[in-house]
Amino acid sequence: MIEGEGRFLFAVRTEHGRDGLWRYEYVLFNLDVERGAGAVALPLPDGATAEQIGFHSAPYHSGEPYSSAAWAASATCELRWSTAPWSTTPEANALRWAEAHTFRFVTSTAPA
């Protein structure tokens, strides 16, 4: 929750595959934050590496002026997904009110 601005809902699902890898899927829903969100960062444990990093959002349509481009991802000591900043691209694919974005990755590290 952003104090005084509204609420995001955050959910996670983990799955341990037969291949020994862990699949993580996070969903971030903007319940009522008017200014939205343009980035998400998740810490990675020491020595963990992430693969098959993905992003999903519903496409805009029917004349909406906003981009449906996937958020760029980077992985160092954290996984970070982000869209272009509002200051340079007001039509970027931000997480706007009443929308959800999904973030996923695979790693050999179990949940802690």
Side-chain angles (χ1 to χ4, degrees):
M1 178 172 176
I2 299 174
E3 190 64 35
E5 292 194 29
R7 296 165 290 180
F8 289 100
L9 302 178
F10 195 62
V12 62
R13 176 182 162 196
T14 59
E15 180 182 305
H16 192 218
R18 291 183 183 173
D19 56 5
L21 297 176
W22 288 88
R23 285 158 180 76
Y24 292 81
E25 188 167 3
Y26 295 84
V27 176
L28 183 59
F29 177 72
N30 182 345
L31 185 64
D32 57 5
V33 179
E34 185 177 342
R35 70 180 184 154
V40 170
L42 302 169
L44 283 173
D46 290 339
T49 58
E51 302 171 352
Q52 301 176 35
I53 300 168
F55 168 85
H56 177 75
S57 66
Y60 289 100
H61 59 84
S62 302
E64 290 284 343
Y66 305 115
S67 168
S68 294
W71 287 17
S74 62
T76 54
C77 59
E78 68 179 9
L79 278 170
R80 181 176 180 79
W81 290 265
S82 60
T83 190
W86 183 86
S87 60
T88 60
T89 311
E91 298 84 20
N93 189 10
L95 180 53
R96 292 179 172 79
W97 177 79
E99 292 181 348
H101 287 354
T102 304
F103 309 89
R104 63 186 170 279
F105 65 97
V106 174
T107 184
S108 60
T109 306

